[in-house]
Amino acid sequence: MPKNNTMKKVNIIFWITTIIFCGFMLFSAISEIRNPEDAKEIIHHLGYPDYFNPFIGFMKVLGVIALLVPGFPRLKEWAYAGFFFDLLGATYSQIATDGFMPQIAFMLVFFLVWGISYYYSHKRLNAPLMTAG
């Protein structure tokens, strides 16, 4: 496959997974920022205070912006790390509180989309190195 087509494929996979992942994160961030009573019940059940949800929600919005705005590779790396720890923390909190339930396996979808986006973001960063020579 010619190098130009390879980069096109990398870009397509990156943008599809990144937009899906950012959509997941924005959807959850809206609920967390609004912090309705049912969200407060869940967060209390997991052992966190009321102010935790809006804080995490705003951080997710900032992370989504960091992933979607061109440039700033170090900031993107921090955003990916933040999202990883958010997903890991949510998964761990659920398992620690209620034990393992089969429904928690759905979190693998989020980890998978996150991982593909992250992997292809690095392929894009290293693209000039791949196409040289």
Side-chain angles (χ1 to χ4, degrees):
M1 181 182 290
K3 292 175 185 175
N4 195 19
N5 284 343
T6 302
M7 257 334 283
K8 187 174 183 178
K9 180 181 173 185
V10 165
N11 280 324
I12 289 170
I13 293 170
F14 167 76
W15 281 111
I16 289 172
T17 57
T18 302
I19 288 170
I20 290 170
F21 182 75
C22 288
F24 286 154
M25 291 298 108
L26 280 178
F27 181 75
S28 67
I30 290 168
S31 175
E32 290 167 340
I33 291 168
R34 288 182 46 242
N35 207 21
E37 283 305 313
D38 57 337
K40 287 179 185 177
E41 287 175 23
I42 294 169
I43 209 75
H44 287 161
H45 175 71
L46 296 174
Y48 297 106
D50 280 345
Y51 62 81
F52 190 70
N53 251 357
F55 172 75
I56 293 296
F58 282 115
M59 293 301 103
K60 284 181 181 178
V61 170
L62 292 176
V64 165
I65 292 168
L67 293 185
L68 296 177
V69 170
F72 308 101
R74 187 167 301 196
L75 187 59
K76 288 181 190 309
E77 194 72 22
W78 278 90
Y80 276 115
F83 282 129
F84 175 79
F85 289 116
D86 174 70
L87 294 172
L88 188 64
T91 304
Y92 179 78
S93 293
Q94 183 67 43
I95 292 170
T97 304
D98 297 322
F100 181 80
M101 296 182 298
Q103 301 92 310
I104 199 73
F106 185 71
M107 288 299 287
L108 291 173
V109 172
F110 299 107
F111 279 106
L112 180 65
V113 176
W114 172 89
I116 294 169
S117 174
Y118 181 70
Y119 175 78
Y120 279 93
S121 73
H122 278 274
K123 284 188 81 90
R124 292 177 77 224
L125 275 177
N126 296 328
L129 301 174
M130 289 187 333
T131 56

